[in-house]
């Protein structure tokens, strides 16, 4: 068993990150918006059966993403960021659709499940350009590492009830700032995910798992106050809610 675990660790460490391409242009995200408007409710519940009926249309959008990896020399940062957020969300939907029905994305963990090393998010089931990739690589090696934008945590969706809701439209470079700010305010002020009072707060475990992303320029209380309707005191007590991994349908 120890040898098997070490083999998995080595395989994970040797993975490469999609490096983009040259000469590509930002693809249209219109197909993704059309699919989201049809199959995602205003509160973020996803109709995966509906996506299954539109599987060919979803695949056309995914193929567009795969064939047009970002050109970091010519695409704007907003174009790249919108691409990667949409890619994460669209390929997550594909993962669920390809394995539906199921009660939780966690059912797709490999038999040898090592948290943080070998999970469903480490599965390389799609391509960006000519390179196999995983959701883990998009989230941790690209979105978090390259862009350093904490609001991505409110934009990407892990197909679970405790995840920030899937926005019923694609992210677009021209309005990305507005969309990310709206996602942050909507998620932070939604009592389903966070319960905020001046002296105490019970918040999503996302703020614990990725605390370093939210506290680079101050405390968690200060970050929450940027978007919260209730202003937390500097010494407000922080507790974290249990995470519900049930499918977000």
């Amino acid at each position: 068993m120890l040898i098997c675990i070490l083999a998995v660790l080595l395989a994970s460490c040797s993975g490469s990150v999609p490096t983009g391409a040259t000469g590509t242009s930002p693809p249209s995200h219109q197909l993704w918006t059309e699919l989201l408007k049809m199959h995602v409710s205003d509160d973020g519940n996803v109709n995966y059966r509906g996506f299954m009926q539109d599987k060919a249309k979803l695949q056309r959008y995914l193929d567009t993403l795969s064939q047009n990896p970002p050109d970091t020399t010519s695409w704007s940062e907003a174009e790249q960021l919108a691409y990667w957020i949409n890619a994460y969300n669209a390929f997550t939907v594909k993962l669920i659709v390809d394995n539906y029905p199921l009660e939780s994305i966690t059912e797709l963990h490999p038999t040898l499940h090592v948290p943080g090393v070998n999970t469903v998010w480490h599965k390389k089931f799609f391509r960006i350009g000519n390179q196999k990739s995983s959701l883990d690589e998009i989230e941790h090696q690209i979105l978090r590492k390259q862009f350093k934008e904490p609001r991505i945590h409110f934009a990407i969706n892990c197909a679970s009830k405790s995840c920030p809701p899937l926005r019923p439209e694609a992210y677009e470079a021209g309005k990305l700032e507005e969309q990310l700010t709206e996602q942050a305010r909507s998620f932070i002020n939604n009592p389903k995910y966070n319960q905020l009072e001046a002296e105490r707060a019970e918040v999503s475990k996302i703020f614990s798992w990725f605390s370093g992303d939210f506290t680079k320029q101050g405390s968690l209380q200060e970050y929450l106050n940027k978007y919260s309707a209730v202003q937390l005191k500097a010494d407000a007590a922080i507790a974290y809610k249990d995470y519900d991994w049930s499918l977000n349908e």
Side-chain angles (χ1 to χ4, degrees):
M1 177 62 73
L2 178 58
I3 293 175
C4 292
I5 292 175
L6 288 174
V8 170
L9 284 168
L10 289 172
S12 175
C13 292
S14 65
S16 55
V17 178
T19 54
T22 57
T24 59
S25 298
S28 169
H29 300 294
Q30 183 59 36
L31 276 179
W32 183 226
T33 287
E34 292 173 5
L35 288 164
L36 291 169
K37 287 186 179 299
M38 284 190 291
H39 304 307
V40 180
S41 67
D42 289 340
D43 58 359
N45 288 330
V46 181
N47 178 6
Y48 290 106
R49 293 184 186 275
F51 268 110
M52 290 175 71
Q53 294 175 353
D54 274 329
K55 194 171 183 178
K57 188 172 184 178
L58 173 61
Q59 190 59 53
R60 287 202 304 274
Y61 176 66
L62 297 174
D63 289 344
T64 298
L65 294 178
S66 294
Q67 295 162 12
N68 293 277
D71 181 347
T72 57
T73 63
S74 63
W75 293 27
S76 70
E77 183 171 305
E79 288 169 339
Q80 295 176 57
L81 186 52
Y83 172 98
W84 288 116
I85 293 173
N86 290 330
Y88 186 97
N89 290 337
F91 280 111
T92 296
V93 168
K94 173 181 170 56
L95 181 65
I96 300 302
V97 166
D98 285 350
N99 292 278
Y100 196 84
L102 69 168
E103 296 182 358
S104 170
I105 192 173
T106 60
E107 293 177 25
L108 303 178
H109 284 322
T111 302
L112 179 56
H113 170 214
V114 183
V117 175
N118 191 36
T119 69
V120 59
W121 293 284
H122 293 84
K123 180 179 180 177
K124 297 194 175 193
F125 68 94
F126 59 92
R127 287 182 178 273
I128 300 296
N130 294 319
Q131 191 168 320
K132 288 186 177 180
S133 188
S134 69
L135 296 172
D136 182 85
E137 289 171 346
I138 292 179
E139 180 178 7
H140 299 292
Q141 298 302 315
I142 297 174
L143 287 171
R144 294 183 62 218
K145 186 174 182 179
Q146 296 181 19
F147 295 94
K148 297 178 172 56
E149 170 52 80
R151 290 174 298 176
I152 62 102
H153 293 295
F154 314 128
I156 60 175
N157 180 272
C158 62
S160 302
K161 288 185 176 179
S162 284
C163 293
L166 185 60
R167 190 178 181 90
E169 66 173 359
Y171 289 89
E172 301 281 358
K175 55 182 179 179
L176 185 60
E177 178 65 25
E178 176 186 343
Q179 289 176 315
L180 291 177
T181 296
E182 188 175 299
Q183 285 293 113
R185 286 180 178 150
S186 176
F187 178 73
I188 288 172
N189 290 290
N190 189 331
K192 175 182 174 181
Y193 306 104
N194 305 283
Q195 296 175 331
L196 308 175
E197 299 176 6
E199 296 187 351
R200 68 178 306 276
E202 188 176 11
V203 300
S204 168
K205 199 162 284 186
I206 288 172
F207 292 109
S208 172
W209 291 332
F210 306 109
S211 60
D213 293 358
F214 299 107
T215 57
K216 282 181 168 50
Q217 299 178 343
S219 66
L220 179 56
Q221 291 88 338
E222 289 173 319
Y223 187 86
L224 292 169
N225 283 342
K226 291 181 182 179
Y227 307 102
S228 174
V230 176
Q231 294 298 287
L232 279 65
K233 293 183 177 180
D235 60 349
I238 301 288
Y240 299 98
K241 299 170 70 73
D242 291 335
Y243 212 79
D244 186 350
W245 289 102
S246 302
L247 202 64
N248 58 338
E249 62 177 353

